[in-house]
Amino acid sequence: MRKIIFHQQSAETSAAVATIGFFDGVHLGHRYLIDQMKAVARREGLLSTVVTFELHPRQVLCPDWQLQLLSTLDEKIRLLAQTGIDQIVVLPFDAQMAALSAHDFMQRVLCEQLAVRHLVIGYDNRFGHRSADSSEGFDDYVGYGREFGLTVVQACPFDAGDIRVSSSKIRKLLSAGNVRQAAVCLGRHYELSGTVVGGEHVGTGMGFPTANLQLDDVNKMVPAAGAYAVAVSIEGTAELLKGMMNIGSRPTFDGSHQTLETNILHFSGNVYGRKMSVRLVERLRPEKRFDSREALMSQLSIDAQRSEEILNQLSEI
């Protein structure tokens, strides 16, 4: 168990109000839930606490599942810290943890180890080991809590316009390349981070040198193939740069594997080996195979101009 404390304890107790979940992406729905938990913590004079897991439960329960994360663990901790909570508890999710029933998890982990007095859970959250035909849910959690002095409260859901915000909904948007709507649900632009590695220098030969991004986490979800207007942050520099990114296999040159190539507009520095983060602002077009190198170069000029227009319109990125 890893506990990260952000604020000095204001009460003379280590007792907590908590919410629990994987919180992938820390989207607006998560933030709304956390705000409700914080309100209870302020009212009760207890520590506001987010309990999350080091691994996604499906990584343990379904090892063959194709994992697509909206945030790495480090990103998630950083985003949760920005919510103003007092502390995060990161639990190791393993076979032993997976075998705990909701009753035992609430008693042994939440009450005995973390001194949780009030639990605020998402409207659709379920936890604890249960049989395939089990209908265990919120009312059961309330009953279990009564046994050991733990109050269980169900939070309200969050909608962004007519969209019920959830991690699965955001994944669907990204898989369709709709990074603009995904940003509405996330409360920020979706971001890919990693190290700039050497490529095949195809872009350089066409006048559009690219930084080839190798992701920090191979499980991080990559949006649909295509060209995107992006904002770029490079390790060691404070300035946010404008750029365009191509996600795909470079079909015009018979590419065979996915690459993440970013052309940073009006930039000529050497970024090889440096950390870089790319915020995807808008999809310009799907990936396509061009009939010639010249046709692709012409399209890249259009993409660059469109990217600059889009990014210039933003008050903040």
Side-chain angles (χ1 to χ4, degrees):
M1 181 173 66
R2 175 183 174 193
K3 183 181 288 187
I4 305 169
I5 299 174
F6 298 114
H7 300 104
Q8 292 294 327
Q9 186 173 325
S10 57
E12 294 182 0
T13 175
S14 60
V17 176
T19 187
I20 181 171
F22 190 66
F23 295 101
D24 190 24
V26 194
H27 53 64
L28 290 182
H30 293 144
R31 291 172 181 266
Y32 187 58
L33 166 62
I34 290 169
D35 283 344
Q36 293 174 74
M37 180 271 292
K38 286 166 55 184
V40 177
R42 285 194 300 270
R43 186 184 71 223
E44 300 295 330
L46 303 176
L47 298 175
S48 57
T49 305
V50 168
V51 180
T52 191
F53 301 100
E54 186 174 4
L55 297 176
H56 194 289
R58 288 190 184 179
Q59 288 178 268
V60 176
L61 302 175
C62 309
D64 295 331
W65 181 58
Q66 184 62 44
L67 190 64
Q68 290 189 306
L69 295 176
L70 300 177
S71 55
T72 65
L73 179 59
D74 287 344
E75 288 172 340
K76 181 166 65 174
I77 290 173
R78 172 173 56 81
L79 291 166
L80 287 171
Q82 294 170 4
T83 65
I85 58 174
D86 292 319
Q87 59 186 10
I88 295 174
V89 175
V90 182
L91 299 175
F93 194 90
D94 52 20
Q96 184 178 3
M97 179 73 70
L100 286 177
S101 66
H103 178 280
D104 289 347
F105 178 82
M106 291 172 67
Q107 182 176 25
R108 297 179 193 175
V109 179
L110 296 184
C111 291
E112 295 177 4
Q113 294 184 36
L114 301 179
V116 175
R117 299 293 176 260
H118 302 273
L119 177 65
V120 182
I121 65 172
Y123 73 97
D124 61 348
N125 192 18
R126 300 289 184 274
F127 58 87
H129 176 78
R130 56 186 183 276
S131 62
D133 59 353
S134 173
S135 59
E136 183 181 63
F138 175 72
D139 290 340
D140 300 286
Y141 304 152
V142 172
Y144 301 154
R146 288 197 191 102
E147 294 182 30
F148 23 82
L150 172 62
T151 302
V152 182
V153 179
Q154 191 168 43
C156 300
F158 179 83
D159 296 332
D162 58 353
I163 296 177
R164 177 61 52 88
V165 175
S166 68
S167 297
S168 59
K169 176 62 178 179
I170 295 169
R171 290 189 194 98
K172 289 179 181 178
L173 291 168
L174 293 175
S175 67
N178 193 348
V179 294
R180 181 181 285 271
Q181 190 63 55
V184 172
C185 296
L186 285 165
R188 66 186 186 282
H189 296 293
Y190 188 65
E191 189 167 326
L192 297 172
S193 299
T195 303
V196 178
V197 297
E200 298 182 21
H201 305 287
V202 173
T204 301
M206 295 188 294
F208 294 93
T210 59
N212 191 23
L213 187 67
Q214 180 176 291
L215 295 178
D216 288 331
D217 190 333
V218 296
N219 292 315
K220 184 72 183 279
M221 182 173 184
V222 176
Y228 293 83
V230 300
V232 183
S233 174
I234 301 171
E235 180 185 36
T237 63
E239 185 181 5
L240 201 58
L241 305 169
K242 300 180 179 69
M244 59 178 180
M245 169 181 262
N246 186 77
I247 298 174
S249 59
R250 297 181 291 120
T252 303
F253 301 98
D254 298 320
S256 60
H257 63 279
Q258 184 188 70
T259 59
L260 308 174
E261 298 176 305
T262 302
N263 172 248
I264 306 173
L265 304 178
H266 316 300
F267 181 82
S268 59
N270 184 356
V271 295
Y272 288 115
R274 294 167 72 179
K275 290 289 187 179
M276 185 174 81
S277 295
V278 179
R279 302 177 192 177
L280 292 95
V281 176
E282 185 168 321
R283 193 185 193 204
L284 303 170
R285 57 176 175 83
E287 182 180 45
K288 63 172 290 187
R289 182 187 181 95
F290 291 88
D291 294 333
S292 67
R293 179 189 186 95
E294 290 71 28
L296 174 54
M297 290 173 62
S298 177
Q299 182 62 58
L300 290 175
S301 294
I302 295 171
D303 293 343
Q305 181 178 351
R306 180 66 181 136
S307 294
E308 188 144 34
E309 290 171 354
I310 290 169
L311 295 165
N312 283 340
Q313 291 172 3
L314 299 180
S315 57
E316 62 178 60
I317 301 174

